[in-house]
Amino acid sequence: MDFYEFEGKNVFRKYNIKTSEEMLLTSPSDLKEFTYPCVVKSQVLSGKRGKAGGIKFAHNYEEMEEAVKEIFEMEVYGNKVDAILVAEMIDIAKEYYLGITIDPINKQSLLMFSPYGGMEIEELAEDEPDKIFKMNFTSEIDKDVLLEGIGEFNLDENIEKQLIEIIENLVILFNGVDATTVEINPLAVDGDNNLIAIDAKLVIDDNAMFRQDKYQLIDREEDKADGVNKKAKDADLIYVDLDDDGNIGLIAGGAGIGMATMDTIRYYGGKPVNFLDLGGGVTSEKTKKAMELLLTNKKVDGIVVNIFGGINNCEVMAKGIKSAVEEFGENQTVVVKSRGHSQEEGWAIYEELGIHQVKHGTTDDAVNLLLEKMEVR
Amino acid sequence: MAILVNNETKAMIQGITGKQGMYHTKKMLEYGSDLVAGVTPNKGGQNVEGVPVYNTVKEALEKHPEINASLILVPAKFVKASATEAIEAGIKLVVLITEFVPVHDSMEIVELANENGVKIVGPNTIGVISPGISKVGIMPGYIYSKGNVGIISRSGTLTHEMGSNLTHNGIGQSTCIGIGGDPVIGMTHREALELFRDDEDTKAVVLIGEIGGVGEELAAQYMIDNGYTKPVYAFIAGRTAPEGKKMGHAGAIVSGNMGTAKSKITMLNKAGVQVADTLGQVVDMLKGALVK
């Protein structure tokens, strides 16, 4: 779950990380007097908002009102603006970078600090890797290693003390909220020599939401999705739109086989409309829903179903496919490749339905059979 | 004699009385796995398909000190506690089947396992099968067959696909390992390659990867640095995936230059690995190699 800046900052404050004074607007009518000058920031889930015109400055109420109106009407990298954060303008003396993320190589958390903040850390890491201090940790951070590493930068003593405190709080936050990424960029040194979080990026592990559901979050774009994306989400299916001009629907029983099938359709010259992963613990109803989504999509002329009975069961899935084909099928070409637990029972159901099957062949064979049958029609 | 799982493997299932636990108890027994015990808190004294159930791993080990592998099939929120119990009890192979385990839990499990010399496979995996010998996993056994090709895959369904394609073409497998689709996993492509290198039953390895993460690149780097005496054939799924879209596996997402199919294929080629464009091509490559 990606948090908006203002949501991230709410979490920061809870963990005693200082942020600027702010006012949240979810519509232009929320606007009230504020201190000036101020910064009017669009709340969208993408970086580099400033470059896209999503951050504006105001020196009085009229300018602030104008900026708010403009930003609510604009799109930032294709994202509608649902909220605006008005923040006091901080007199920034220096900009630092501070972040923690998951390091899959060392299978640990990774703390990163650089006194050269403000820019994208990926770019800094590429150009000047020695300007970033990095250290791995799991639950607790080794303070001696931290002090030594930060010491290399010869920061002002007072600043260093504040920084260490912020890092310690950020580590507690990172573990405490099951974050996969937390970033303060920039972490600013203000005119009074205090460190303040000017921005906040926070991503919380979706798999941990069962123990992290206490946040007040605004509605997400994806929750507002309509049409097929909403139906897929409601049915707990992983659905991704692919080619606009595609005509082949794809149902896979797993992410890996789904991606491989997508690649294979393209490799042999076909165009997939979608990627759809049934996931694990699949029922007949869920399979039926997946098939219904494709059978009722006017773009779809052919469907390849590429599933395994591993954690799932072939017969259970076949029943769902059958029921969807009987209810929603017109004359789409369908090829099924289904093997694993209860494969014989599954095959019998497809045979009865008169659906093309690849019993022992590869994904290549299934895709080629579909393309061949679609051309024949 | 295969890797990780062999005829000396004595397994238990944690979460044996759940729906999945009971189903896979039956399937593992049918396959011939030596499944000696199960654990579910407060269900001690029961049995599943004749396999005795204990309240704790410790109790199970007191009665069956020979247990050396555990298959964990408990819900995601209990995985950390179950894995910790198994590791601390001294079980040397712990296979985490469960999907959607919080990544902070996975990091803690892996660290504890490293400190205790325990091998973790997963989470989010189908497990391990040494065809014709034993399995500690949830894969349909009969689509695999005994032979001397090792399979390493992040994706469970692609392991099934590869195993069944090879089997249908008369090419058997020594051991097939689903390493799991999550960003943080125990055994990696690289570590599995190391095990296959020293296994005399394995003559060739199929390495199946997918977009996201850098596991495939690290495996390639390992082969470049150390040389690899056995032929390795690879397939990378998601080469036509749109950027920034999560394709099911938590780890399978491309953002910026990280984890693209291109970077993986380039590195693997550098390591002398042939990378197939499609799954079908892997079968052809292996047929060619084994005929030689």
Side-chain angles (χ1 to χ4, degrees):
Chain A
M1 174 75 76
D2 286 42
F3 277 39
Y4 287 97
E5 174 193 356
F6 75 93
E7 294 168 337
K9 283 180 169 171
N10 286 342
V11 179
F12 280 12
R13 285 187 282 269
K14 211 187 283 176
Y15 284 85
N16 299 316
I17 294 165
K18 198 178 162 201
T19 64
S20 42
E21 288 295 319
E22 286 155 357
M23 167 169 68
L24 177 70
L25 315 173
T26 51
S27 88
S29 62
D30 293 347
L31 192 60
K32 287 189 291 246
E33 279 292 351
F34 198 67
T35 51
Y36 310 103
C38 64
V39 193
V40 181
K41 303 158 97 175
S42 58
Q43 297 296 288
V44 288
L45 299 173
S46 55
K48 302 185 184 171
R49 286 171 295 174
K51 275 190 194 151
I55 297 179
K56 296 186 190 302
F57 301 94
H59 299 85
N60 51 52
Y61 188 85
E62 288 69 32
E63 283 183 23
M64 177 172 71
E65 193 177 27
E66 182 61 28
V68 165
K69 192 168 159 271
E70 273 180 41
I71 290 179
F72 266 126
E73 281 167 6
M74 73 189 295
E75 282 196 352
V76 181
Y77 300 114
N79 298 300
K80 236 176 95 245
V81 177
D82 289 321
I84 287 177
L85 195 62
V86 179
E88 62 173 322
M89 181 96 85
I90 302 289
D91 174 19
I92 299 177
K94 277 192 197 101
E95 293 188 329
Y96 296 164
Y97 170 92
L98 180 62
I100 306 177
T101 188
I102 305 283
D103 172 9
I105 299 175
N106 293 305
K107 306 171 190 177
Q108 288 184 318
S109 305
L110 177 67
L111 170 79
M112 290 180 283
F113 169 77
S114 174
Y116 306 89
M119 64 187 292
E120 293 290 317
I121 195 69
E122 291 85 4
E123 289 163 25
L124 186 65
E126 186 112 323
D127 302 339
E128 301 181 80
D130 50 338
K131 287 189 172 167
I132 307 174
F133 165 69
K134 292 184 176 182
M135 83 177 270
N136 280 110
F137 66 96
T138 38
S139 40
E140 278 177 36
I141 197 152
D142 185 329
K143 199 164 175 182
D144 293 337
V145 177
L146 176 66
L147 286 172
E148 198 189 321
I150 298 296
E152 297 280 317
F153 294 112
N154 295 313
L155 304 175
D156 171 273
E157 199 178 315
N158 171 32
I159 294 291
E160 185 177 297
K161 199 172 146 243
Q162 290 181 54
L163 177 63
I164 297 294
E165 198 180 311
I166 292 175
I167 290 175
E168 287 178 321
N169 288 334
L170 202 65
V171 167
I172 296 170
L173 179 156
F174 188 74
N175 291 326
V177 306
D178 274 295
T180 55
T181 297
V182 59
E183 248 181 16
I184 312 177
N185 191 22
L187 175 63
V189 180
D190 72 3
D192 302 324
N193 228 17
N194 285 316
L195 281 176
I196 297 179
I198 300 285
D199 197 359
K201 180 179 177 182
L202 177 63
V203 185
I204 292 189
D205 186 358
D206 289 334
N207 291 348
M209 290 312 277
F210 69 85
R211 60 189 180 204
Q212 299 292 346
D213 55 359
K214 52 191 175 286
Y215 306 103
Q216 292 278 324
L217 303 176
I218 61 167
D219 286 347
R220 290 336 206 218
E221 272 307 314
E222 62 216 61
D223 296 333
K224 288 184 252 165
D226 50 7
V228 67
N229 288 296
K230 165 131 180 55
K231 284 185 195 158
K233 194 174 156 53
D234 290 346
D236 196 26
L237 298 164
I238 295 157
Y239 185 96
V240 179
D241 282 312
L242 295 175
D243 302 357
D244 280 339
D245 59 345
N247 64 341
I248 298 176
L250 142 65
I251 292 180
I257 197 83
M259 287 191 282
T261 311
M262 166 186 77
D263 294 344
T264 308
I265 293 170
R266 290 206 174 106
Y267 183 79
Y268 291 110
K271 289 194 169 183
V273 170
N274 73 298
F275 165 95
L276 191 158
D277 175 9
L278 291 173
V282 176
T283 57
S284 296
E285 291 69 35
K286 193 172 173 184
T287 318
K288 181 182 176 185
K289 195 77 207 172
M291 197 66 184
E292 180 193 331
L293 286 180
L294 298 188
L295 288 169
T296 54
N297 182 337
K298 295 285 169 235
K299 282 192 207 167
V300 173
D301 297 326
I303 298 171
V304 57
V305 179
N306 198 0
I307 51 184
F308 277 92
I311 193 95
N312 298 324
N313 180 293
C314 291
E315 185 184 8
V316 166
M317 293 186 285
K319 283 181 181 161
I321 301 273
K322 176 175 190 259
S323 155
V325 168
E326 284 173 349
E327 196 171 331
F328 304 103
E330 286 174 6
N331 54 351
Q332 298 94 337
T333 309
V334 179
V335 169
V336 174
K337 171 172 157 287
S338 163
R339 63 178 83 123
H341 297 309
S342 302
Q343 63 184 23
E344 304 285 345
E345 292 83 349
W347 292 344
I349 292 172
Y350 299 120
E351 239 148 58
E352 200 190 303
L353 265 180
I355 284 180
H356 304 295
Q357 292 198 68
V358 168
K359 289 183 181 170
H360 296 288
T362 62
T363 293
D364 301 45
D365 296 337
V367 168
N368 281 321
L369 179 64
L370 179 74
L371 293 172
E372 191 190 304
K373 295 291 177 192
M374 283 171 73
E375 267 167 17
V376 166
R377 253 191 38 229
Chain B
M1 49 176 285
I3 64 169
L4 295 169
V5 170
N6 55 41
N7 52 21
E8 280 160 23
T9 300
K10 310 281 180 204
M12 68 168 187
I13 292 182
Q14 290 174 259
I16 191 166
T17 57
K19 198 174 153 221
Q20 291 288 343
M22 293 196 291
Y23 181 68
H24 289 291
T25 296
K26 189 162 169 261
K27 293 288 166 191
M28 275 175 69
L29 291 171
E30 277 172 14
Y31 197 69
S33 296
D34 211 343
L35 179 59
V36 297
V39 171
T40 302
N42 305 318
K43 298 276 171 78
Q46 300 184 4
N47 77 79
V48 175
E49 305 284 334
V51 175
V53 180
Y54 300 90
N55 288 320
T56 64
V57 175
K58 199 163 160 260
E59 274 177 43
L61 275 168
E62 276 164 12
K63 291 279 164 43
H64 310 273
E66 70 277 19
I67 294 173
N68 54 17
S70 182
L71 182 78
I72 294 189
L73 271 172
V74 303
K77 61 170 88 168
F78 303 123
V79 167
K80 188 172 118 185
S82 295
T84 302
E85 206 188 334
I87 294 165
E88 288 179 343
I91 290 169
K92 291 300 170 196
L93 174 67
V94 178
V95 179
L96 309 173
I97 301 298
T98 311
E99 201 179 357
F100 308 125
V101 176
V103 68
H104 281 262
D105 292 359
S106 299
M107 290 193 292
E108 287 182 38
I109 293 167
V110 169
E111 181 171 51
L112 186 68
N114 288 341
E115 287 165 8
N116 287 276
V118 171
K119 286 193 168 69
I120 297 284
V121 175
N124 189 11
T125 173
I126 54 163
V128 184
I129 183 168
S130 295
I133 304 170
S134 182
K135 69 168 184 171
V136 179
I138 59 164
M139 61 288 283
Y142 54 87
I143 63 175
Y144 297 86
S145 59
K146 192 173 180 176
N148 42 35
V149 174
I151 298 179
I152 310 166
S153 172
R154 269 163 77 181
S155 151
T157 42
L158 285 178
T159 322
H160 297 332
E161 164 92 9
M162 191 58 63
S164 59
N165 290 346
L166 294 182
T167 295
H168 185 60
N169 284 279
I171 303 169
Q173 307 95 47
S174 50
T175 302
C176 308
I177 313 169
I179 59 174
D182 282 3
V184 171
I185 49 174
M187 175 155 301
T188 59
H189 279 115
R190 181 210 151 115
E191 288 154 12
L193 273 179
E194 289 182 46
L195 295 178
F196 277 130
R197 186 188 56 192
D198 300 329
D199 175 42
E200 55 188 37
D201 286 347
T202 303
K203 307 287 181 223
V205 179
V206 176
L207 187 150
I208 304 168
E210 59 190 43
I211 53 166
V214 290
E216 297 83 354
E217 284 91 331
L218 293 176
Q221 192 61 52
Y222 158 75
M223 287 186 270
I224 292 168
D225 294 344
N226 300 280
Y228 202 74
T229 48
K230 298 177 181 180
V232 179
Y233 303 91
F235 173 79
I236 303 294
R239 52 168 79 196
T240 70
E243 193 177 316
K245 296 280 186 188
K246 205 180 262 186
M247 306 293 276
H249 284 167
I253 184 165
V254 172
S255 44
N257 293 325
M258 281 288 287
T260 60
K262 201 178 157 200
S263 106
K264 293 172 194 300
I265 293 167
T266 308
M267 277 291 280
L268 287 163
N269 283 334
K270 253 188 221 166
V273 173
Q274 276 192 65
V275 184
D277 290 326
T278 68
L279 290 156
Q281 285 182 10
V282 180
V283 180
D284 297 335
M285 285 175 178
L286 272 164
K287 271 184 182 167
L290 298 172
V291 162
K292 266 183 232 165

